[in-house]
Amino acid sequence: MDSWLPLESNPEVLSSYMGKLGVSPLWSIVDIFGMDDELLDMVPKPVKSLIFLYPCSADKEKEVTDEAKSTGSLPEGLFFTRQYIHNACGTIALIHALLNNPDIEIEEGSVLKNYYNDAKNLSPEERGRLLTKNVEFVKAHEENAQEGQTATPGLNDPVFHHFVAFVHVAGKLYELNGSKNAPIVHGDTTAEKMLKDAVKVCQKYIAQDPTEVRFTLLGLAPTQ
């Protein structure tokens, strides 16, 4: 498996990355500082996606996702790609967050738009393999992986955290995790309720180990 440098969960770095991919500057990644209603109501609206970074644990993932269900076949209008690159989960989460919100403008001829045009009619597996060969994406990812405030791990250093994206598509809440075979559907939601409904799923992950504090919540939201 190919390996990339891991991305830091830094809103400024991730927002810069989106710009290099061709995303309109009207949209940014923002910190979400807590899970109670008061703090969630402070996040700029509309929130298009919740990006969740959590410590990796196969047992914890299974307990949470067993309560939901795999979609099997992809719903119309949902973009999902498999992850075949070690440490690419941050990029995969951004791809899922952005390409499942068609009202977010992406520049024609940009890295992300070109990838979407080439991948939109492919299977999730083919989309994942296409990304491994995308030189422009590799370059953009590597540049931003080195812009964080913490020391960048080596290509083969162990990384114990994983990014996933939550999105609203056609009245359902989807958890999009490139390491899974298919999206996970977590029931009904709306564009307005997506953030709080997604946070409830994240709380299930967190509840598996109340002593663990290494969780990060980020939102794809309008630039302030």
Side-chain angles (χ1 to χ4, degrees):
M1 178 183 287
D2 292 341
S3 186
W4 290 359
L5 295 173
L7 290 178
E8 184 177 299
S9 56
N10 179 321
E12 184 176 342
V13 170
L14 295 176
S15 296
S16 171
Y17 185 23
M18 291 200 311
K20 291 177 182 177
L21 295 179
V23 178
S24 166
L26 296 176
W27 298 93
S28 299
I29 299 296
V30 299
D31 273 316
I32 297 175
F33 294 107
M35 293 180 286
D36 58 59
D37 286 348
E38 181 178 356
L39 290 172
L40 294 178
D41 289 341
M42 293 173 60
V43 182
K45 304 295 188 296
V47 181
K48 292 296 188 177
S49 175
L50 173 66
I51 297 175
F52 183 45
L53 179 68
Y54 61 91
C56 298
S57 168
D59 290 340
K60 291 178 186 178
E61 284 190 19
K62 187 175 188 303
E63 287 183 37
V64 174
T65 57
D66 276 355
E67 296 180 15
K69 60 181 180 180
S70 169
T71 60
S73 59
L74 290 183
E76 184 176 355
L78 190 148
F79 187 97
F80 177 70
T81 182
R82 293 297 310 280
Q83 179 183 337
Y84 295 130
I85 307 166
H86 184 57
N87 293 338
C89 57
T91 286
I92 298 290
L94 285 179
I95 288 173
H96 285 149
L98 294 162
L99 295 186
N100 284 293
N101 285 291
D103 54 335
I104 292 180
E105 183 181 353
I106 302 171
E107 183 182 355
E108 289 292 339
S110 65
V111 175
L112 185 57
K113 192 69 169 184
N114 288 343
Y115 170 73
Y116 173 71
N117 288 337
D118 291 339
K120 60 185 177 181
N121 296 320
L122 302 179
S123 69
E125 293 75 21
E126 290 169 329
R127 291 168 178 171
R129 287 190 285 270
L130 181 67
L131 187 62
T132 68
K133 305 172 185 176
N134 192 312
V135 176
E136 290 182 313
F137 238 125
V138 173
K139 181 180 178 182
H141 175 104
E142 297 298 285
E143 287 178 355
N144 275 268
Q146 298 181 55
E147 288 183 6
Q149 298 175 351
T150 57
T152 304
L155 288 174
N156 297 312
D157 289 348
V159 177
F160 301 107
H161 290 74
H162 190 64
F163 286 93
V164 298
F166 292 87
V167 297
H168 160 257
V169 175
K172 299 291 183 182
L173 175 66
Y174 289 98
E175 176 185 346
L176 303 178
N177 179 345
S179 68
K180 302 290 186 184
N181 291 327
I184 303 297
V185 59
H186 288 283
D188 295 337
T189 194
T190 64
E192 294 74 24
K193 291 175 55 185
M194 185 280 301
L195 175 59
K196 292 184 179 180
D197 288 342
V199 163
K200 291 176 183 176
V201 179
C202 296
Q203 288 174 322
K204 294 179 181 179
Y205 280 99
I206 294 169
Q208 302 304 316
D209 187 354
T211 64
E212 177 61 74
V213 296
R214 296 172 298 169
F215 296 95
T216 301
L217 295 169
L218 303 167
L220 172 58
T223 301
Q224 299 299 291

mmCIF file of all heavy atoms in Angstrom, residues 11-48:
data_model
loop_
_atom_site.group_PDB
_atom_site.id
_atom_site.type_symbol
_atom_site.label_atom_id
_atom_site.label_comp_id
_atom_site.label_asym_id
_atom_site.label_seq_id
_atom_site.Cartn_x
_atom_site.Cartn_y
_atom_site.Cartn_z
ATOM 1 N N PRO A 11 -7.600 23.475 11.409
ATOM 2 C CA PRO A 11 -8.526 24.106 10.461
ATOM 3 C C PRO A 11 -7.844 25.007 9.435
ATOM 4 O O PRO A 11 -8.224 25.023 8.264
ATOM 5 C CB PRO A 11 -9.467 24.901 11.364
ATOM 6 C CG PRO A 11 -9.442 24.170 12.655
ATOM 7 C CD PRO A 11 -8.030 23.671 12.803
ATOM 8 N N GLU A 12 -6.834 25.763 9.875
ATOM 9 C CA GLU A 12 -6.143 26.664 8.952
ATOM 10 C C GLU A 12 -5.432 25.880 7.850
ATOM 11 O O GLU A 12 -5.502 26.238 6.668
ATOM 12 C CB GLU A 12 -5.144 27.523 9.723
ATOM 13 C CG GLU A 12 -4.444 28.561 8.852
ATOM 14 C CD GLU A 12 -3.529 29.461 9.663
ATOM 15 O OE1 GLU A 12 -3.673 29.522 10.903
ATOM 16 O OE2 GLU A 12 -2.655 30.105 9.053
ATOM 17 N N VAL A 13 -4.764 24.798 8.231
ATOM 18 C CA VAL A 13 -4.051 23.976 7.257
ATOM 19 C C VAL A 13 -5.039 23.300 6.307
ATOM 20 O O VAL A 13 -4.832 23.273 5.081
ATOM 21 C CB VAL A 13 -3.192 22.921 7.981
ATOM 22 C CG1 VAL A 13 -2.629 21.908 6.990
ATOM 23 C CG2 VAL A 13 -2.047 23.606 8.725
ATOM 24 N N LEU A 14 -6.130 22.767 6.844
ATOM 25 C CA LEU A 14 -7.109 22.069 6.005
ATOM 26 C C LEU A 14 -7.842 23.041 5.077
ATOM 27 O O LEU A 14 -8.152 22.696 3.932
ATOM 28 C CB LEU A 14 -8.100 21.308 6.883
ATOM 29 C CG LEU A 14 -7.492 20.151 7.700
ATOM 30 C CD1 LEU A 14 -8.550 19.529 8.613
ATOM 31 C CD2 LEU A 14 -6.891 19.089 6.780
ATOM 32 N N SER A 15 -8.095 24.253 5.550
ATOM 33 C CA SER A 15 -8.731 25.259 4.696
ATOM 34 C C SER A 15 -7.802 25.669 3.559
ATOM 35 O O SER A 15 -8.229 25.849 2.411
ATOM 36 C CB SER A 15 -9.138 26.482 5.526
ATOM 37 O OG SER A 15 -10.115 26.137 6.484
ATOM 38 N N SER A 16 -6.511 25.817 3.884
ATOM 39 C CA SER A 16 -5.519 26.113 2.848
ATOM 40 C C SER A 16 -5.473 24.993 1.815
ATOM 41 O O SER A 16 -5.386 25.239 0.604
ATOM 42 C CB SER A 16 -4.152 26.306 3.497
ATOM 43 O OG SER A 16 -3.120 26.397 2.538
ATOM 44 N N TYR A 17 -5.529 23.775 2.292
ATOM 45 C CA TYR A 17 -5.528 22.605 1.411
ATOM 46 C C TYR A 17 -6.721 22.641 0.459
ATOM 47 O O TYR A 17 -6.586 22.411 -0.745
ATOM 48 C CB TYR A 17 -5.562 21.357 2.284
ATOM 49 C CG TYR A 17 -5.440 20.031 1.575
ATOM 50 C CD1 TYR A 17 -4.850 19.899 0.328
ATOM 51 C CD2 TYR A 17 -5.892 18.868 2.189
ATOM 52 C CE1 TYR A 17 -4.721 18.661 -0.291
ATOM 53 C CE2 TYR A 17 -5.766 17.627 1.596
ATOM 54 C CZ TYR A 17 -5.185 17.531 0.349
ATOM 55 O OH TYR A 17 -5.062 16.308 -0.251
ATOM 56 N N MET A 18 -7.906 22.965 0.989
ATOM 57 C CA MET A 18 -9.090 23.048 0.137
ATOM 58 C C MET A 18 -8.890 24.077 -0.967
ATOM 59 O O MET A 18 -9.283 23.851 -2.115
ATOM 60 C CB MET A 18 -10.325 23.398 0.960
ATOM 61 C CG MET A 18 -10.784 22.305 1.903
ATOM 62 S SD MET A 18 -12.510 22.459 2.437
ATOM 63 C CE MET A 18 -12.607 24.171 2.959
ATOM 64 N N GLY A 19 -8.273 25.205 -0.621
ATOM 65 C CA GLY A 19 -8.020 26.220 -1.639
ATOM 66 C C GLY A 19 -7.118 25.701 -2.741
ATOM 67 O O GLY A 19 -7.350 25.974 -3.927
ATOM 68 N N LYS A 20 -6.091 24.938 -2.377
ATOM 69 C CA LYS A 20 -5.190 24.374 -3.381
ATOM 70 C C LYS A 20 -5.885 23.329 -4.248
ATOM 71 O O LYS A 20 -5.502 23.106 -5.399
ATOM 72 C CB LYS A 20 -3.973 23.764 -2.705
ATOM 73 C CG LYS A 20 -3.056 24.807 -2.081
ATOM 74 C CD LYS A 20 -1.891 24.171 -1.347
ATOM 75 C CE LYS A 20 -1.012 25.237 -0.689
ATOM 76 N NZ LYS A 20 0.097 24.662 0.090
ATOM 77 N N LEU A 21 -6.913 22.696 -3.687
ATOM 78 C CA LEU A 21 -7.663 21.709 -4.468
ATOM 79 C C LEU A 21 -8.658 22.358 -5.417
ATOM 80 O O LEU A 21 -9.187 21.691 -6.309
ATOM 81 C CB LEU A 21 -8.413 20.763 -3.521
ATOM 82 C CG LEU A 21 -7.547 19.871 -2.628
ATOM 83 C CD1 LEU A 21 -8.438 19.024 -1.731
ATOM 84 C CD2 LEU A 21 -6.624 18.972 -3.462
ATOM 85 N N GLY A 22 -8.929 23.656 -5.210
ATOM 86 C CA GLY A 22 -9.835 24.360 -6.109
ATOM 87 C C GLY A 22 -11.163 24.740 -5.504
ATOM 88 O O GLY A 22 -12.084 25.161 -6.215
ATOM 89 N N VAL A 23 -11.303 24.617 -4.183
ATOM 90 C CA VAL A 23 -12.567 24.922 -3.515
ATOM 91 C C VAL A 23 -12.698 26.431 -3.327
ATOM 92 O O VAL A 23 -11.732 27.127 -3.009
ATOM 93 C CB VAL A 23 -12.637 24.206 -2.152
ATOM 94 C CG1 VAL A 23 -13.937 24.547 -1.417
ATOM 95 C CG2 VAL A 23 -12.506 22.701 -2.343
ATOM 96 N N SER A 24 -13.908 26.933 -3.506
ATOM 97 C CA SER A 24 -14.181 28.354 -3.333
ATOM 98 C C SER A 24 -13.743 28.836 -1.954
ATOM 99 O O SER A 24 -13.974 28.154 -0.949
ATOM 100 C CB SER A 24 -15.683 28.609 -3.498
ATOM 101 O OG SER A 24 -16.035 29.893 -3.026
ATOM 102 N N PRO A 25 -13.135 30.039 -1.863
ATOM 103 C CA PRO A 25 -12.727 30.595 -0.560
ATOM 104 C C PRO A 25 -13.915 30.947 0.328
ATOM 105 O O PRO A 25 -13.721 31.343 1.487
ATOM 106 C CB PRO A 25 -11.917 31.839 -0.942
ATOM 107 C CG PRO A 25 -12.393 32.212 -2.305
ATOM 108 C CD PRO A 25 -12.731 30.919 -2.987
ATOM 109 N N LEU A 26 -15.126 30.814 -0.165
ATOM 110 C CA LEU A 26 -16.308 31.070 0.649
ATOM 111 C C LEU A 26 -16.527 29.981 1.701
ATOM 112 O O LEU A 26 -17.380 30.133 2.582
ATOM 113 C CB LEU A 26 -17.554 31.173 -0.240
ATOM 114 C CG LEU A 26 -17.575 32.337 -1.241
ATOM 115 C CD1 LEU A 26 -18.821 32.261 -2.114
ATOM 116 C CD2 LEU A 26 -17.509 33.672 -0.511
ATOM 117 N N TRP A 27 -15.744 28.875 1.598
ATOM 118 C CA TRP A 27 -15.911 27.747 2.510
ATOM 119 C C TRP A 27 -14.610 27.430 3.217
ATOM 120 O O TRP A 27 -13.536 27.509 2.621
ATOM 121 C CB TRP A 27 -16.409 26.518 1.747
ATOM 122 C CG TRP A 27 -17.746 26.760 1.124
ATOM 123 C CD1 TRP A 27 -17.988 27.198 -0.152
ATOM 124 C CD2 TRP A 27 -19.016 26.641 1.754
ATOM 125 N NE1 TRP A 27 -19.331 27.353 -0.344
ATOM 126 C CE2 TRP A 27 -19.987 27.016 0.806
ATOM 127 C CE3 TRP A 27 -19.423 26.244 3.027
ATOM 128 C CZ2 TRP A 27 -21.350 27.004 1.095
ATOM 129 C CZ3 TRP A 27 -20.778 26.233 3.316
ATOM 130 C CH2 TRP A 27 -21.727 26.607 2.364
ATOM 131 N N SER A 28 -14.712 27.068 4.492
ATOM 132 C CA SER A 28 -13.535 26.789 5.307
ATOM 133 C C SER A 28 -13.807 25.612 6.239
ATOM 134 O O SER A 28 -14.957 25.208 6.436
ATOM 135 C CB SER A 28 -13.162 28.009 6.171
ATOM 136 O OG SER A 28 -12.845 29.131 5.370
ATOM 137 N N ILE A 29 -12.738 25.091 6.835
ATOM 138 C CA ILE A 29 -12.840 24.136 7.919
ATOM 139 C C ILE A 29 -12.726 24.906 9.229
ATOM 140 O O ILE A 29 -11.838 25.752 9.384
ATOM 141 C CB ILE A 29 -11.739 23.065 7.838
ATOM 142 C CG1 ILE A 29 -11.856 22.280 6.523
ATOM 143 C CG2 ILE A 29 -11.815 22.124 9.037
ATOM 144 C CD1 ILE A 29 -13.141 21.486 6.375
ATOM 145 N N VAL A 30 -13.628 24.626 10.167
ATOM 146 C CA VAL A 30 -13.640 25.347 11.439
ATOM 147 C C VAL A 30 -13.612 24.354 12.592
ATOM 148 O O VAL A 30 -14.069 23.213 12.474
ATOM 149 C CB VAL A 30 -14.893 26.246 11.565
ATOM 150 C CG1 VAL A 30 -14.913 27.290 10.457
ATOM 151 C CG2 VAL A 30 -16.178 25.421 11.552
ATOM 152 N N ASP A 31 -13.078 24.804 13.722
ATOM 153 C CA ASP A 31 -13.105 24.004 14.949
ATOM 154 C C ASP A 31 -14.524 23.961 15.502
ATOM 155 O O ASP A 31 -15.266 24.958 15.443
ATOM 156 C CB ASP A 31 -12.187 24.621 16.009
ATOM 157 C CG ASP A 31 -10.751 24.152 15.889
ATOM 158 O OD1 ASP A 31 -10.531 22.941 15.693
ATOM 159 O OD2 ASP A 31 -9.846 25.006 15.990
ATOM 160 N N ILE A 32 -14.888 22.829 16.078
ATOM 161 C CA ILE A 32 -16.113 22.699 16.865
ATOM 162 C C ILE A 32 -15.650 22.395 18.287
ATOM 163 O O ILE A 32 -15.017 21.366 18.542
ATOM 164 C CB ILE A 32 -17.021 21.598 16.313
ATOM 165 C CG1 ILE A 32 -17.461 21.973 14.881
ATOM 166 C CG2 ILE A 32 -18.233 21.387 17.216
ATOM 167 C CD1 ILE A 32 -18.263 20.899 14.179
ATOM 168 N N PHE A 33 -15.943 23.302 19.208
ATOM 169 C CA PHE A 33 -15.294 23.276 20.514
ATOM 170 C C PHE A 33 -16.022 22.445 21.569
ATOM 171 O O PHE A 33 -15.532 22.292 22.687
ATOM 172 C CB PHE A 33 -15.107 24.709 21.018
ATOM 173 C CG PHE A 33 -14.143 25.499 20.180
ATOM 174 C CD1 PHE A 33 -14.592 26.496 19.325
ATOM 175 C CD2 PHE A 33 -12.781 25.236 20.222
ATOM 176 C CE1 PHE A 33 -13.699 27.226 18.552
ATOM 177 C CE2 PHE A 33 -11.880 25.955 19.455
ATOM 178 C CZ PHE A 33 -12.342 26.939 18.612
ATOM 179 N N GLY A 34 -17.166 21.909 21.230
ATOM 180 C CA GLY A 34 -17.882 21.083 22.194
ATOM 181 C C GLY A 34 -19.124 20.501 21.568
ATOM 182 O O GLY A 34 -19.504 20.851 20.444
ATOM 183 N N MET A 35 -19.782 19.610 22.303
ATOM 184 C CA MET A 35 -20.915 18.876 21.747
ATOM 185 C C MET A 35 -22.256 19.246 22.364
ATOM 186 O O MET A 35 -23.268 18.635 22.039
ATOM 187 C CB MET A 35 -20.656 17.370 21.890
ATOM 188 C CG MET A 35 -19.491 16.885 21.036
ATOM 189 S SD MET A 35 -19.191 15.118 21.189
ATOM 190 C CE MET A 35 -18.436 15.089 22.824
ATOM 191 N N ASP A 36 -22.272 20.251 23.246
ATOM 192 C CA ASP A 36 -23.568 20.676 23.765
ATOM 193 C C ASP A 36 -24.199 21.672 22.794
ATOM 194 O O ASP A 36 -23.532 22.262 21.934
ATOM 195 C CB ASP A 36 -23.434 21.281 25.168
ATOM 196 C CG ASP A 36 -22.497 22.468 25.218
ATOM 197 O OD1 ASP A 36 -22.748 23.462 24.502
ATOM 198 O OD2 ASP A 36 -21.497 22.417 25.960
ATOM 199 N N ASP A 37 -25.499 21.848 22.907
ATOM 200 C CA ASP A 37 -26.236 22.655 21.938
ATOM 201 C C ASP A 37 -25.718 24.079 21.840
ATOM 202 O O ASP A 37 -25.651 24.659 20.742
ATOM 203 C CB ASP A 37 -27.727 22.672 22.294
ATOM 204 C CG ASP A 37 -28.427 21.363 21.964
ATOM 205 O OD1 ASP A 37 -27.818 20.534 21.247
ATOM 206 O OD2 ASP A 37 -29.568 21.171 22.420
ATOM 207 N N GLU A 38 -25.337 24.662 22.964
ATOM 208 C CA GLU A 38 -24.873 26.054 22.954
ATOM 209 C C GLU A 38 -23.628 26.213 22.084
ATOM 210 O O GLU A 38 -23.538 27.158 21.289
ATOM 211 C CB GLU A 38 -24.594 26.515 24.377
ATOM 212 C CG GLU A 38 -24.139 27.970 24.461
ATOM 213 C CD GLU A 38 -23.901 28.432 25.883
ATOM 214 O OE1 GLU A 38 -24.153 27.645 26.828
ATOM 215 O OE2 GLU A 38 -23.458 29.575 26.062
ATOM 216 N N LEU A 39 -22.676 25.301 22.207
ATOM 217 C CA LEU A 39 -21.449 25.385 21.415
ATOM 218 C C LEU A 39 -21.703 25.018 19.959
ATOM 219 O O LEU A 39 -21.125 25.622 19.042
ATOM 220 C CB LEU A 39 -20.377 24.483 22.014
ATOM 221 C CG LEU A 39 -19.799 24.956 23.348
ATOM 222 C CD1 LEU A 39 -18.902 23.894 23.953
ATOM 223 C CD2 LEU A 39 -19.027 26.271 23.179
ATOM 224 N N LEU A 40 -22.580 24.063 19.711
ATOM 225 C CA LEU A 40 -22.897 23.689 18.328
ATOM 226 C C LEU A 40 -23.621 24.822 17.611
ATOM 227 O O LEU A 40 -23.431 25.033 16.415
ATOM 228 C CB LEU A 40 -23.741 22.414 18.300
ATOM 229 C CG LEU A 40 -23.042 21.146 18.807
ATOM 230 C CD1 LEU A 40 -24.012 19.971 18.782
ATOM 231 C CD2 LEU A 40 -21.801 20.827 17.983
ATOM 232 N N ASP A 41 -24.441 25.570 18.343
ATOM 233 C CA ASP A 41 -25.167 26.689 17.734
ATOM 234 C C ASP A 41 -24.228 27.835 17.364
ATOM 235 O O ASP A 41 -24.603 28.703 16.554
ATOM 236 C CB ASP A 41 -26.244 27.198 18.695
ATOM 237 C CG ASP A 41 -27.413 26.229 18.836
ATOM 238 O OD1 ASP A 41 -27.576 25.366 17.939
ATOM 239 O OD2 ASP A 41 -28.143 26.320 19.847
ATOM 240 N N MET A 42 -23.012 27.842 17.907
ATOM 241 C CA MET A 42 -22.041 28.890 17.595
ATOM 242 C C MET A 42 -21.283 28.619 16.293
ATOM 243 O O MET A 42 -20.632 29.511 15.761
ATOM 244 C CB MET A 42 -21.030 29.018 18.743
ATOM 245 C CG MET A 42 -21.632 29.547 20.031
ATOM 246 S SD MET A 42 -20.448 29.475 21.423
ATOM 247 C CE MET A 42 -19.125 30.513 20.792
ATOM 248 N N VAL A 43 -21.376 27.396 15.777
ATOM 249 C CA VAL A 43 -20.668 27.060 14.536
ATOM 250 C C VAL A 43 -21.340 27.783 13.379
ATOM 251 O O VAL A 43 -22.569 27.789 13.278
ATOM 252 C CB VAL A 43 -20.694 25.535 14.307
ATOM 253 C CG1 VAL A 43 -19.923 25.180 13.038
ATOM 254 C CG2 VAL A 43 -20.104 24.799 15.504
ATOM 255 N N PRO A 44 -20.571 28.420 12.476
ATOM 256 C CA PRO A 44 -21.182 29.113 11.337
ATOM 257 C C PRO A 44 -22.093 28.182 10.545
ATOM 258 O O PRO A 44 -21.773 27.014 10.325
ATOM 259 C CB PRO A 44 -19.968 29.561 10.499
ATOM 260 C CG PRO A 44 -18.838 29.620 11.485
ATOM 261 C CD PRO A 44 -19.102 28.532 12.478
ATOM 262 N N LYS A 45 -23.224 28.705 10.127
ATOM 263 C CA LYS A 45 -24.199 27.914 9.385
ATOM 264 C C LYS A 45 -24.279 28.401 7.934
ATOM 265 O O LYS A 45 -24.047 29.572 7.662
ATOM 266 C CB LYS A 45 -25.586 28.024 10.047
ATOM 267 C CG LYS A 45 -25.614 27.617 11.515
ATOM 268 C CD LYS A 45 -25.300 26.151 11.716
ATOM 269 C CE LYS A 45 -25.527 25.719 13.169
ATOM 270 N NZ LYS A 45 -24.657 26.368 14.143
ATOM 271 N N PRO A 46 -24.620 27.511 6.996
ATOM 272 C CA PRO A 46 -24.938 26.091 7.192
ATOM 273 C C PRO A 46 -23.675 25.234 7.283
ATOM 274 O O PRO A 46 -22.720 25.451 6.542
ATOM 275 C CB PRO A 46 -25.723 25.732 5.937
ATOM 276 C CG PRO A 46 -25.153 26.632 4.870
ATOM 277 C CD PRO A 46 -24.828 27.928 5.579
ATOM 278 N N VAL A 47 -23.670 24.265 8.197
ATOM 279 C CA VAL A 47 -22.576 23.298 8.291
ATOM 280 C C VAL A 47 -22.855 22.202 7.266
ATOM 281 O O VAL A 47 -23.888 21.545 7.315
ATOM 282 C CB VAL A 47 -22.471 22.690 9.699
ATOM 283 C CG1 VAL A 47 -21.311 21.701 9.761
ATOM 284 C CG2 VAL A 47 -22.303 23.786 10.735
ATOM 285 N N LYS A 48 -21.931 22.012 6.332
ATOM 286 C CA LYS A 48 -22.145 21.067 5.243
ATOM 287 C C LYS A 48 -21.658 19.657 5.570
ATOM 288 O O LYS A 48 -22.107 18.682 4.964
ATOM 289 C CB LYS A 48 -21.445 21.570 3.975
ATOM 290 C CG LYS A 48 -22.060 22.823 3.397
ATOM 291 C CD LYS A 48 -23.478 22.558 2.924
ATOM 292 C CE LYS A 48 -24.050 23.734 2.160
ATOM 293 N NZ LYS A 48 -25.410 23.438 1.637
#
